[in-house]
Amino acid sequence: EVQLVESGGGLVQAGGSLRLSCAASGFTFDDYTIAWFRQAPGKEREGVSCFNKEYSSVWYADSVKGRFTISNDNTKNTVDLQMKSVKPEDTAVYYCAAGRAFCGMGPPIYSGHYDYWGQGTQVTVSS
């Protein structure tokens, strides 16, 4: 059974840092693109970043470029999202997802291309 479990969310002050982790079971990262999405209250779910291990490719939304970094921790079998210089507009529930989707330079990632989802972790940035 494929399972994704997010952790690391919490309350952080604007300008601070937070690290989210997505732990996977039931599959290997070699077979899927792993993505982070977020959804703020009253807003649509939006793609934040993705990582494809096979092609060593990544993608970031313009709103997080230069502040967020996605990486794969082989020792823990996680895909992490390092968030720096966070802003109040980063407040949202963050979800990790897995799918056989393209990840790289191009249009924003689309949630419909991802088959497996975690339960989400809340990130709240105070001003």
Side-chain angles (χ1 to χ4, degrees), residues 62-82:
D62 288 343
S63 57
V64 306
K65 271 181 189 173
R67 300 189 298 121
F68 291 10
T69 303
I70 194 168
S71 62
N72 172 215
D73 188 328
N74 285 318
T75 61
K76 299 178 183 177
N77 201 36
T78 62
V79 172
D80 299 339
L81 186 70
Q82 178 68 53

Side-chain angles (χ1 to χ4, degrees), residues 53-68:
K53 188 173 182 180
E54 180 180 3
Y55 296 103
S56 298
S57 60
V58 298
W59 171 89
Y60 297 97
D62 288 343
S63 57
V64 306
K65 271 181 189 173
R67 300 189 298 121
F68 291 10

Side-chain angles (χ1 to χ4, degrees), residues 4-7 45 93-96 117-122:
L4 298 169
V5 179
E6 304 95 337
S7 61
R45 190 170 295 189
V93 177
Y94 283 71
Y95 300 89
C96 72
W117 292 81
Q119 82 288 352
T121 186
Q122 176 70 47

Side-chain angles (χ1 to χ4, degrees), residues 6-89:
E6 304 95 337
S7 61
L11 176 64
V12 60
Q13 284 193 329
S17 298
L18 206 60
R19 189 177 185 91
L20 306 182
S21 285
C22 175
S25 60
F27 71 99
T28 64
F29 289 129
D30 302 53
D31 299 328
Y32 288 90
T33 290
I34 304 299
W36 284 95
F37 289 82
R38 67 186 181 186
Q39 188 164 20
K43 294 190 176 181
E44 291 187 358
R45 190 170 295 189
E46 63 169 350
V48 175
S49 182
C50 65
F51 167 80
N52 184 287
K53 188 173 182 180
E54 180 180 3
Y55 296 103
S56 298
S57 60
V58 298
W59 171 89
Y60 297 97
D62 288 343
S63 57
V64 306
K65 271 181 189 173
R67 300 189 298 121
F68 291 10
T69 303
I70 194 168
S71 62
N72 172 215
D73 188 328
N74 285 318
T75 61
K76 299 178 183 177
N77 201 36
T78 62
V79 172
D80 299 339
L81 186 70
Q82 178 68 53
M83 306 167 62
K84 295 183 178 179
S85 303
V86 296
K87 304 175 182 179
E89 50 263 45

